[in-house]
Amino acid sequence: MPGTSRVPVSLRNLSSYKNAAVRRNPVLAFNFDLLRNIVFAFFILRHFRKALRQLRGRGIFGTAGSFYRYLQHLAYGLFLNLPGIKSRVQLQVDEALMKLEDKLVQKGPGVTRYTTLPKEGLTDEKIKEILTGLSELHHAQWEKGQVSGAVYHGGKEMLDLQSEAYRMFAVSNPLHPDVFPGVRKMEAEIVAMVLAMYNAPVGAGGITTSGGTESILLACLAARAKAYSERGVTEPEIVVSVTAHAAFDKAGHYFGIKVHHVAAVGRLVNYNTIMVVGSAPNFPHGIIDDIAGLSKIALRKRIPLHVDACLGSFLVPFLEKAGFETQPFDFRIKGVTSISCDTHKYGFSPKGNSVLLFRTKKLRTYGYFITANWPGGVYASPSLAGSRAGSLIAGTWASLMKIGESGYISSCRDIVGAAKAIEAGIKERFAPDLYIMGEPLVSVVAFSSKTLNIYEIADEMSSLGWHLNPLQNPPAVHIACTKPTVEAVDRLLNDLETAIQNAKLKGGDATKKAQGDTAALYGIAGSLPNKSVIKRMAAGFIDTLYKV
């Protein structure tokens, strides 16, 4: 009925019950109000401290800039969800993903799809025939050195040796060291060899992982566990350079760690900081961070310092012996507490192997998982995986033993020498159209342009058979040199000259909208304050990988 309360009688009388209780016991009301005020004060204090840390770390203007970007992100997100806009954006995303699917997913009358188990197993000959066809599908010409990074090939003899090692240990699993003692021995020796390369002190330790990302994840996990165990940190943060690998953001996403991307590290280190990070070198520009400077901050603040040498791997330890300039980066710097190194890059081991090194075995144990209560027995593992492929460990051990120190010095001389030749060629032949990003010391050469749209040049290089890496913030392109690149330096520079000429003919100046796929994607990505559309496209790309 109109004017009648819909609140139940019992709830309407709650206030009177409370007042009656207060009259009977005034202390109860006092304690309730006190508790409420304490909780409120704690809430205010917590957020006030966060605000102070933000102001201290980024300053007034930096904080204001962050807030402005947040408002931009929010406003653009609302705009993208407006009726009419949302459907149009989704249509364009679907069209882009359809083009991607046509490019990646094999289609046509001659394509056989296997979506269920065959009723009867195929013969060995038939399987080998299918595998041969799959291996011959059109792909980028990495054998000719026209792919940036991606394939770190040690040569046919190395591949044959690795295949034999695979075969000998195909069924082995390091989870069962009593069953496969040879795998345990090889894994321990791989760790010991890489520790020696990075000048680890007595008492250091390490583990092998599935790759650089897992090594980085576990370094962050160990640092988080250490901070919680020793200092009670429950809101962990890490401070990384803006050029640090995306795996640190992945660790933040998985493990609830706030990641600060900064140009200057010191001001953002606070009580909650569990680790600072440097790269040797970083992936985008191939530059070695100031590890010695980061070490001083880490020692002063008494926090771990991780060096990501996944890309530098078996190059940076040998730069000096190969006759190149280098910078301090390893355990000889006192503040360095952990290092990640990919054996499957310039160590030329099979894909799926990396090593994570720790200054102390105690720090290594913070990354272990151990449970003593499982009905299946006591379970302990050093990494994210349980069962692992012993064949990968055997292939890695065989690679390191075959190449040896002299072989790695020689490959360092060749690969870094190729990078130096590319850097010099760009400076001599293509200025002022192109310029080098920073001062690269290892295998990566990044370049950009102030007169041309660099993504248009990347697309022109793609049309010439090259597979280079587009970069953003700022726009650039890089090549990570490998063994096949050594023989392709002149071809790269000549094709780059052609690409520049073609870009100029198309009027691809730095301010003009370019038409190629790379130019379109990265041009849009760089201009949008809200990256939700790009993330949708990236998610669609991953979905496409699993389409039959």
Side-chain angles (χ1 to χ4, degrees):
M1 295 176 61
T4 302
S5 171
R6 296 179 182 273
V7 180
V9 173
S10 59
L11 294 182
R12 272 184 270 148
N13 292 335
L14 182 61
S15 179
S16 61
Y17 293 155
K18 178 184 175 184
N19 293 335
V22 169
R23 286 194 296 271
R24 288 194 301 271
N25 190 353
V27 176
L28 179 64
F30 172 76
N31 288 340
F32 177 79
D33 289 338
L34 179 62
L35 179 62
R36 181 183 61 190
N37 291 337
I38 290 174
V39 171
F40 179 72
F42 176 77
F43 176 82
I44 294 296
L45 179 62
R46 181 182 178 188
H47 286 273
F48 180 70
R49 289 177 64 189
K50 284 186 176 180
L52 280 181
R53 287 198 296 267
Q54 173 78 7
L55 284 169
R56 179 181 176 274
R58 301 190 182 276
I60 295 175
F61 294 109
T63 302
S66 296
F67 185 64
Y68 174 72
R69 287 188 292 274
Y70 167 76
L71 292 178
Q72 267 191 319
H73 174 89
L74 188 65
Y76 200 79
L78 293 172
F79 169 75
L80 291 175
N81 283 290
L82 289 175
I85 300 295
K86 184 177 181 179
S87 58
R88 288 174 60 187
V89 170
Q90 187 59 49
L91 180 63
Q92 292 179 352
V93 169
D94 291 341
E95 289 176 355
L97 291 177
M98 186 57 66
K99 281 182 62 179
L100 189 65
E101 182 177 333
D102 291 340
K103 183 177 180 180
L104 293 178
V105 181
Q106 288 72 39
K107 298 179 180 180
V111 176
T112 304
R113 294 177 176 80
Y114 301 93
T115 58
T116 60
L117 287 172
K119 294 298 182 182
E120 298 293 336
L122 305 182
T123 64
D124 292 0
E125 290 73 19
K126 181 61 177 176
I127 293 171
K128 290 176 182 178
E129 178 187 332
I130 296 171
L131 290 172
T132 299
L134 292 171
S135 70
E136 292 174 350
L137 290 174
H138 177 72
H139 60 275
Q141 301 182 56
W142 64 264
E143 302 94 336
K144 295 181 179 179
Q146 294 187 220
V147 173
S148 172
V151 182
Y152 298 86
H153 189 46
K156 184 181 182 303
E157 286 187 10
M158 175 66 75
L159 188 60
D160 290 341
L161 178 64
Q162 291 168 348
S163 299
E164 181 64 17
Y166 259 67
R167 188 191 66 77
M168 294 174 67
F169 290 89
V171 301
S172 62
N173 183 354
L175 189 63
H176 305 287
D178 52 337
V179 182
F180 305 106
V183 172
R184 186 218 64 80
K185 181 176 183 293
M186 286 187 290
E187 183 172 28
E189 289 175 352
I190 291 167
V191 170
M193 284 187 268
V194 180
L195 282 168
M197 275 172 45
Y198 282 84
N199 294 291
V202 176
I207 60 173
T208 69
T209 70
S210 63
T213 292
E214 188 182 3
S215 290
I216 288 170
L217 291 178
L218 290 170
C220 294
L221 186 64
R224 189 188 74 165
K226 171 182 168 64
Y228 177 76
S229 175
E230 298 180 4
R231 298 191 284 123
V233 174
T234 57
E235 297 181 351
E237 302 177 5
I238 61 176
V239 183
V240 307
S241 166
V242 292
T243 54
H245 197 277
F248 291 100
D249 294 287
K250 197 172 191 177
H253 176 71
Y254 283 175
F255 304 141
I257 301 171
K258 185 174 183 179
V259 183
H260 293 286
H261 301 88
V262 295
V265 170
R267 294 177 62 182
L268 273 165
V269 175
N270 58 63
Y271 177 80
N272 287 326
T273 304
I274 62 169
M275 186 169 72
V276 294
V277 173
S279 303
N282 64 49
F283 172 81
H285 310 135
I287 297 170
I288 298 176
D289 290 338
D290 180 11
I291 307 300
L294 292 173
S295 172
K296 292 177 182 178
I297 295 172
L299 290 170
R300 187 169 66 249
K301 301 291 185 177
R302 298 183 180 180
I303 54 175
L305 165 59
H306 179 77
V307 174
D308 173 21
C310 289
L311 181 57
S313 60
F314 282 61
L315 293 180
V316 285
F318 302 112
L319 283 174
E320 188 173 3
K321 291 180 180 179
F324 297 112
E325 178 187 355
T326 188
Q327 291 179 9
F329 61 89
D330 60 17
F331 285 115
R332 287 173 291 185
I333 300 177
K334 189 177 179 181
V336 173
T337 53
S338 58
I339 298 174
S340 48
C341 166
D342 282 359
T343 47
H344 68 200
K345 285 193 173 72
Y346 295 105
F348 308 116
S349 76
K351 271 295 180 184
N353 192 272
S354 176
V355 179
L356 175 59
L357 311 173
F358 296 95
R359 179 174 287 274
T360 67
K361 291 184 175 69
K362 180 181 179 182
L363 180 56
R364 178 176 64 179
T365 61
Y366 281 118
Y368 291 171
F369 174 77
I370 301 171
T371 178
N373 301 318
W374 181 41
V378 176
Y379 181 92
S381 69
S383 59
L384 297 179
S387 292
R388 293 178 290 138
S391 54
L392 281 174
I393 290 170
T396 299
W397 183 89
S399 303
L400 271 57
M401 295 297 288
K402 178 175 176 60
I403 297 176
E405 181 176 313
S406 63
Y408 285 120
I409 293 172
S410 177
S411 65
C412 176
R413 189 177 293 116
D414 292 341
I415 293 167
V416 178
K420 297 291 185 185
I422 292 170
E423 178 187 0
I426 291 174
K427 287 179 177 179
E428 293 169 7
R429 295 173 59 177
F430 307 128
D433 289 320
L434 299 183
Y435 66 92
I436 301 296
M437 306 286 290
E439 297 179 6
L441 295 180
V442 199
S443 59
V444 172
V445 181
F447 53 93
S448 188
S449 177
K450 295 179 181 178
T451 61
L452 300 168
N453 187 312
I454 194 65
Y455 299 136
E456 188 69 44
I457 294 174
D459 284 320
E460 290 293 334
M461 290 295 285
S462 294
S463 70
L464 294 170
W466 291 88
H467 192 284
L468 306 182
N469 288 101
L471 311 173
Q472 58 182 346
N473 305 322
V477 174
H478 91 205
I479 181 167
C481 298
T482 59
K483 273 195 171 183
T485 313
V486 174
E487 303 298 326
V489 171
D490 291 338
R491 188 163 65 252
L492 170 70
L493 293 172
N494 291 334
D495 285 349
L496 197 52
E497 184 174 11
T498 302
I500 292 170
Q501 291 171 352
N502 290 343
K504 287 180 177 180
L505 288 173
K506 292 180 179 180
D509 61 77
T511 59
K512 186 173 180 178
K513 182 180 178 181
Q515 302 300 316
D517 290 343
T518 304
L521 175 61
Y522 282 91
I524 292 171
S527 63
L528 296 180
N530 184 308
K531 310 293 184 185
S532 59
V533 174
I534 303 301
K535 290 181 178 180
R536 244 185 290 170
M537 291 179 65
F541 165 75
I542 296 174
D543 290 339
T544 301
L545 300 180
Y546 294 93
K547 290 189 176 182
V548 179

